[in-house]
Amino acid sequence: EQLLRDVEELKKQRATATETAAPAVDGDEASTQPTGKRNYLLLPDISVIGTAAGLFSTDKRDEDRRRLGFDEFELAIQGDVYPNVRANAFLVAAPGEDEPLGVEEAYLTFLGVRPNLNVWLGRKFVPFGRTGEQHPHSWLYTRQLLPRKNLIAGEGLIGDGVGFRYTLPTGKKLFTNLAVGYWSGVGSGEIRSGSPFGDEIEEGPGAGFDRRFLSARLWTAFAPSNNSELELGASYARGRASFIDEDEVELGRGRNTIRGLDLSYRLFRQ
């Protein structure tokens, strides 16, 4: 009951703020005068997220064992810039990198262009796989999923371009989502040989695109019970790419096609 009374009080305060009018001004100043409900739209949401990782092991051959280090920090700037248009920018810096601050993502999202259809425009994580659009702090684990890590280079599926996401009308019990895009890649494929067991074991190759490429992902989910969820996804990307080694030397180029399937089951404790 107390919670309901607090909600009603907040609704009354919002209604009072919305009815507040600003003093009349001339010229362009009228469009920037903060009043009532529009006031909070003038400032974006800003957050800073740091990521630290540690390794505890009894393997004396691993020089990084028993160490806790700062991995990177991310500055996120997000906000509404126009009705049904949202801007997202993510700036990332990592210790030891040559570039002190880099643009990881910067794109506009046009919401509801058509019923169930959103459009992206800008630099974005390309939808590929279960965690393709997630930042490290959003992962359920401390590192990227191994199948994706072994298949795709570190920044292989980041692109500048346009993408579309459409929610298919498949009913209330089945959720189905289709995402397609046309991008200009910003990462090459990598062939790395670094390994704690020597150079004989390769950690790649990791796929990537540094030219124009197409992407598509179909994702569906349904709830077998009230406290569980089953998800199935299929991903596809095709375009031109080059492969480089750890010294940034180009080893070759050509047409590259990657495909992926992902299945996940989640059980929620009640």
Side-chain angles (χ1 to χ4, degrees):
E1 295 180 358
Q2 181 61 38
L3 180 60
L4 293 176
R5 288 195 293 267
D6 293 341
V7 171
E8 292 298 327
E9 182 63 25
L10 289 174
K11 288 182 178 180
K12 293 179 181 179
Q13 293 177 2
R14 174 59 62 85
T16 303
T18 304
E19 294 173 357
T20 303
V25 292
D26 297 329
D28 294 337
E29 294 182 1
S31 61
T32 59
Q33 181 68 28
T35 63
K37 189 176 181 180
R38 289 183 54 85
N39 186 33
Y40 73 96
L41 293 177
L42 298 179
L43 296 176
D45 299 324
I46 300 176
S47 60
V48 178
I49 303 171
T51 304
L55 174 63
F56 299 92
S57 172
T58 58
D59 187 355
K60 296 182 179 180
R61 297 172 298 176
D62 194 337
E63 298 179 355
D64 294 329
R65 70 188 184 100
R66 298 180 183 178
R67 290 185 180 181
L68 180 64
F70 181 75
D71 189 19
E72 67 177 23
F73 85 88
E74 180 178 283
L75 176 64
I77 305 173
Q78 301 170 283
D80 298 311
V81 296
Y82 198 76
N84 297 327
V85 180
R86 183 169 180 81
N88 298 274
F90 299 91
L91 309 179
V92 175
E97 296 289 341
D98 295 334
E99 298 181 1
L101 192 66
V103 178
E104 194 168 49
E105 288 190 282
Y107 62 92
L108 295 174
T109 302
F110 298 86
L111 303 171
V113 177
R114 289 289 187 271
N116 300 333
L117 176 65
N118 295 339
V119 178
W120 308 303
L121 182 63
R123 172 169 295 189
K124 192 181 185 307
F125 285 175
V126 175
F128 190 96
R130 177 70 172 78
T131 60
E133 298 178 84
Q134 295 180 356
H135 291 251
H137 60 267
S138 301
W139 297 342
L140 296 178
Y141 307 98
T142 57
R143 61 183 181 182
Q144 180 61 278
L145 297 178
L146 289 178
R148 178 183 169 88
K149 182 179 179 181
N150 292 330
L151 175 65
I152 298 172
E155 294 187 358
L157 289 185
I158 299 178
D160 299 328
V162 59
F164 305 87
R165 170 164 283 163
Y166 180 67
T167 301
L168 280 69
T170 52
K172 296 182 179 180
K173 294 184 178 181
L174 181 65
F175 174 84
T176 305
N177 192 281
L178 175 65
V180 296
Y182 182 69
W183 316 93
S184 177
V186 297
S188 301
E190 299 176 3
I191 297 180
R192 303 177 298 275
S193 59
S195 170
F197 303 101
D199 293 341
E200 295 82 7
I201 301 178
E202 292 188 349
E203 296 181 356
F209 299 95
D210 58 356
R211 301 290 190 275
R212 293 183 296 273
F213 69 99
L214 298 171
S215 71
R217 172 167 170 77
L218 181 65
W219 171 53
T220 184
F222 73 98
S225 63
N226 293 331
N227 63 335
S228 64
E229 187 176 59
L230 182 64
E231 301 178 5
L232 175 65
S235 304
Y236 175 87
R238 179 179 176 85
R240 300 194 62 82
S242 62
F243 283 87
I244 59 175
D245 60 13
E246 59 268 23
D247 297 323
E248 303 294 330
V249 177
E250 184 175 308
L251 303 178
R253 64 172 60 245
R255 187 170 297 278
N256 190 20
T257 301
I258 54 177
R259 303 176 180 89
L261 291 174
D262 55 274
L263 175 66
S264 63
Y265 176 77
R266 294 191 290 179
L267 179 64
F268 306 98
R269 296 185 180 275
Q270 294 182 341

